[in-house]
Amino acid sequence: MLRKYWKAATLLGVVLVSLLISQVEGSFNQYIFQIVIYAGINIILAVSLNLINGHTGQFSLGHAGFMAIGAYTAAVLTRDVVGSWGMWIGFPVALIGGGLMAAVAGVVVGIPSLRLRGDYLAIVTLGFGEIIRVIIQNLDFVGGARGFAAIPKLTDFFWVFAIVGLVMWSLSNLVKSTYGKGFLAVRDDEIAAEAMGINTTRYKVTAFVTGAFFAGLAGGLYAHYVTYITPTQFSFILSIEHVMMVIVGGMGSNVGVAFAAVLLTVLKELLKLVPDLLWFLPEWLLRILENRMLLFSILLVVIMILRPQGLFGEGDWVRRWWRKLTGRGRKAEATA
Amino acid sequence: MDDLLTVDKLTMRFGGLTAVDSLSFSVPADGLHGLIGPNGAGKTTVFNMITGVYAPTAGDIRFNGSSVVGKKPFQICQTAIARTFQNIRLCPTLTVFENIQIAQVKNLDYGFFTATTHAGRFRRDEERVAAETFEILDLFNLRRVAHEKATQLAYGDQRRVEIVRALATKPKLLLLDEPAAGMNPVEKQELMELIKEVKERFNVAILLIEHDMKVVMGICEHIVVLDHGAKIAAGPPAAIQADPAVIEAYLGEATH
Ligand SMILES: Nc1ncnc2c1ncn2[C@@H]1O[C@H](COP(=O)(O)OP(=O)(O)O)[C@@H](O)[C@H]1O
Ligand SMILES: [Mg+2]
């Protein structure tokens, strides 16, 4: 009985604990706390991208675009529509509105994935993200290139980690179900999947729409945390960071990808401290160390050489450790 | 016509090459038919047209009385035609169990939202899928490898897993593309016996591609012989074996 509901119970637990922490979040070190919030938002982005890239095998470089749509839509909603509805109703409505807008964009981007694959799809999705950015730059009612300011600070620990719980729970459920095995079949062998009666078209679009929805939620959370957003924040560099989290985490493993999201968020912050901590190094070396894209790229190359399956890919130590701890064998898991 | 599958003047051209040339034949609902011919004769291309991978240049394919030309491969599978591939196409990152699972996606009672929440009908449906998967794996003596990566099995086992996967879609017509390829004569004979058993047990019509004429002689009731895309003979095994045109085609191949 307990085992049957343990996952739903875990989700409920995460939500309740998040609520408790959000009540006392003012007393934390604000700098550390900000990193925790960013880590949570990045988990949502990375795990949702993992459905598209990792599980369904569609190389998307457009996640920043979905995030931007969610961020701007939610910001417009809290400013113009739900502003007076109060945080407990207005904010989730704004977030969901942002998620739904991004999901609609997910349909539009998902359609090329039906014809293109690999590098070509990556280029098209990258182009999509950039188009979104340029469009926003030219929309006056959201501030254009100057950015969207004075967004109410509604995002707190509760909202971020309740949604982290939701995305982990629902997407892990999804890929464990027989229905969800269809995503993996599309990734592994599209021709075989079709021949076995799987509507690969629908699966690909579903992956894009679901991934985009959660990226939209993450965008809304981000906007209502930083309170000031500009189109340049959502450039393709950000999409590449999301892809890196998926690759470092080990394509397909949700827990691994969540770990990687936290790891890279912290690493990014540490890099900002480099000039202060390593003041004795020559100026040119500091500049190199500070350049996160450069360091992230090196990290990526090293990981691809040493552990091509990602840090937490198949047969990794986290899984083994988790199995030992819970006594849930591989066989029991698959036949349960 | 009572035939389950009817192929009518089917033609496939790739540029200047006519891979299949106005081919006609049919398979009854309880048939175990063979499609044989030398390498490059166009056998796999026929399967690819029946299953919607290629759109035929001309001609018609009727299944259960209605045309399947223009349908997508997954829709054709849903009308109860399943196949295996000449170069085994199992999902490499999935276990044997999961490879059988994907064949059952089309028979699920629940959809996306139930899959994300595991609520409602989920458990009942998943239990049914697991029970059916193990039942069919047992029949083929494959339960012992259920949780191993499918592509890490011995070659013969991979071939059998692929047949199991096709059967798990619950077909009325099963297309097997050189299921005995790469096996030694003893294994080939065993597989042919198994195929005969499958036909009875699952009440399914079978169309079997084989390169080696001798292998199919023992089990097929009716054989169509292709050479350079055209039908050069059709009939019961004994007649095929004695047909001068067939001997000529195979001898021609041997001297190449
Ligand atoms: N997609 C394709 N494009 C071009 N030619 C093809 C294609 N598929 C098959 N062919 C050609 O069609 C002919 C028949 O191939 P195939 O059906 O695979 O033969 P078989 O299965 O009898 O060995 C061969 O000459 C092959 O090269
Ligand atoms: Mg062939």
Side-chain angles (χ1 to χ4, degrees):
Chain A
M1 196 65 186
L2 247 172
R3 167 138 296 175
K4 197 169 155 185
Y5 294 110
W6 74 273
K7 265 193 295 191
T10 311
L11 175 66
L12 192 68
V14 168
V15 171
L16 288 178
V17 170
S18 311
L19 190 59
L20 277 178
I21 293 177
S22 70
Q23 297 311 304
V24 293
E25 66 182 61
S27 54
F28 291 118
N29 174 320
Q30 284 309 295
Y31 177 62
I32 304 259
F33 191 75
Q34 175 186 320
I35 299 175
V36 171
I37 294 284
Y38 285 165
I41 292 174
N42 281 335
I43 291 175
I44 301 166
L45 288 160
V47 170
S48 61
L49 180 62
N50 192 31
L51 178 65
I52 304 172
N53 283 18
H55 291 122
T56 319
Q58 308 299 303
F59 200 161
S60 170
L61 273 172
H63 232 46
F66 297 133
M67 190 188 172
I69 292 173
Y72 274 87
T73 307
V76 168
L77 286 175
T78 49
R79 184 187 67 188
D80 299 340
V81 184
V82 300
S84 58
W85 298 10
M87 171 171 173
W88 288 104
I89 298 168
F91 189 41
V93 168
L95 287 177
I96 291 169
L100 291 178
M101 255 329 229
V104 170
V107 178
V108 178
V109 184
I111 287 168
S113 79
L114 310 177
R115 296 185 155 272
L116 304 172
R117 52 204 78 220
D119 314 347
Y120 298 101
L121 181 62
I123 290 166
V124 167
T125 51
L126 187 143
F128 154 80
E130 291 299 286
I131 289 169
I132 292 299
R133 197 165 59 80
V134 172
I135 290 176
I136 293 171
Q137 253 163 16
N138 289 291
L139 289 181
D140 237 20
F141 77 104
V142 295
R146 279 167 292 122
F148 195 132
I151 302 167
K153 187 157 188 155
L154 298 173
T155 298
D156 64 5
F157 193 90
F158 166 73
W159 288 112
V160 172
F161 283 88
I163 294 175
V164 166
L166 183 72
V167 72
M168 292 288 288
W169 174 73
S170 59
L171 296 191
S172 298
N173 274 348
L174 183 63
V175 293
K176 271 191 203 125
S177 68
T178 298
Y179 177 95
K181 291 291 186 292
F183 294 104
L184 311 183
V186 170
R187 171 191 68 190
D188 273 13
D189 191 328
E190 227 178 295
I191 290 175
E194 274 273 332
M196 293 303 119
I198 290 175
N199 185 346
T200 56
T201 303
R202 198 159 81 211
Y203 267 89
K204 286 191 222 169
V205 174
T206 302
F208 268 100
V209 169
T210 311
F213 174 76
F214 282 112
L217 289 186
L221 289 170
Y222 177 75
H224 291 83
Y225 187 74
V226 296
T227 71
Y228 170 59
I229 53 177
T230 63
T232 46
Q233 287 165 346
F234 303 98
S235 74
F236 77 95
I237 303 270
L238 193 63
S239 293
I240 290 175
E241 281 180 28
H242 302 147
V243 170
M244 282 196 49
M245 290 166 191
V246 171
I247 293 175
V248 170
M251 294 265 200
S253 152
N254 277 338
V255 176
V257 167
F259 266 109
V262 175
L263 198 73
L264 291 190
T265 311
V266 172
L267 205 63
K268 212 166 121 180
E269 290 304 321
L270 286 180
L271 288 180
K272 289 182 189 161
L273 300 178
V274 160
D276 293 334
L277 292 177
L278 304 174
W279 51 269
F280 48 85
L281 290 177
E283 173 92 22
W284 61 270
L285 195 54
L286 282 180
R287 282 231 188 95
I288 292 177
L289 288 176
E290 258 185 308
N291 186 329
R292 67 170 196 266
M293 275 328 282
L294 189 68
L295 276 193
F296 278 16
S297 308
I298 294 170
L299 178 71
L300 193 60
V301 171
V302 170
I303 285 175
M304 283 338 282
I305 292 169
L306 296 181
R307 268 192 79 84
Q309 72 274 48
L311 286 184
F312 310 97
E314 276 296 312
D316 59 82
W317 54 272
V318 184
R319 258 166 221 251
R320 275 201 300 276
W321 172 84
W322 175 250
R323 277 196 200 112
K324 228 183 215 166
L325 201 77
T326 57
R328 284 163 60 88
R330 205 176 166 173
K331 285 180 188 178
E333 208 170 273
T335 53
Chain B
M1 278 262 249
D2 312 317
D3 285 326
L4 184 65
L5 176 78
T6 308
V7 168
D8 187 19
K9 298 201 192 71
L10 198 60
T11 300
M12 182 80 226
R13 286 192 202 96
F14 296 109
L17 175 86
T18 305
V20 175
D21 191 2
S22 196
L23 173 69
S24 302
F25 68 87
S26 53
V27 181
D30 62 348
L32 172 39
H33 285 197
L35 181 61
I36 69 171
N39 261 326
K43 307 180 294 293
T44 300
T45 305
V46 172
F47 273 19
N48 282 337
M49 285 188 283
I50 296 174
T51 57
V53 177
Y54 296 154
T57 313
D60 195 18
I61 302 160
R62 280 189 301 282
F63 182 66
N64 255 337
S66 50
S67 176
V68 296
V69 172
K71 285 193 172 157
K72 292 188 170 153
F74 83 91
Q75 292 168 322
I76 290 173
C77 177
Q78 289 174 353
T79 66
I81 299 178
R83 73 175 290 183
T84 64
F85 294 88
Q86 185 173 351
N87 320 305
I88 308 172
R89 299 192 82 119
L90 291 169
C91 294
T93 70
L94 302 188
T95 64
V96 170
F97 184 91
E98 291 169 322
N99 264 283
I100 314 300
Q101 259 184 313
I102 66 160
Q104 289 158 291
V105 166
K106 74 182 183 78
N107 296 327
L108 287 174
D109 281 337
Y110 69 83
F112 175 81
F113 285 102
T114 305
T116 57
T117 56
H118 288 195
R121 275 180 291 224
F122 179 79
R123 190 156 290 265
R124 192 160 38 85
D125 221 10
E126 290 287 315
E127 273 163 10
R128 177 182 59 77
V129 167
E132 285 179 13
T133 304
F134 282 122
E135 190 186 322
I136 193 166
L137 283 174
D138 274 340
L139 277 179
F140 286 77
N141 194 22
L142 285 165
R143 187 196 271 254
R144 65 201 151 79
V145 292
H147 299 290
E148 286 179 29
K149 286 265 178 301
T151 47
Q152 276 163 14
L153 301 188
Y155 186 75
D157 280 345
Q158 290 192 34
R159 286 250 174 238
R160 290 191 303 145
V161 170
E162 221 196 6
I163 297 174
V164 172
R165 185 177 69 175
L167 283 171
T169 65
K170 302 193 174 143
K172 288 205 173 64
L173 173 66
L174 180 60
L175 308 173
L176 302 174
D177 196 345
E178 302 204 20
M183 294 184 177
N184 66 39
V186 178
E187 289 171 328
K188 278 189 184 180
Q189 214 41 56
E190 277 172 12
L191 185 73
M192 291 304 140
E193 293 307 317
L194 183 70
I195 288 170
K196 224 153 106 183
E197 213 185 304
V198 162
K199 188 203 137 194
E200 301 305 329
R201 199 161 209 150
F202 291 86
N203 198 18
V204 61
I206 294 177
L207 178 60
L208 174 72
I209 288 183
E210 181 50 60
H211 168 69
D212 182 350
M213 183 161 48
K214 285 190 272 322
V215 176
V216 288
M217 287 301 161
I219 62 160
C220 290
E221 302 141 4
H222 186 95
I223 292 170
V224 173
V225 189
L226 271 189
D227 190 25
H228 297 294
K231 181 163 84 177
I232 56 167
I240 294 295
Q241 237 163 342
D243 194 307
V246 177
I247 295 166
E248 169 73 33
Y250 273 87
L251 277 181
E253 190 197 28
T255 53
H256 271 320

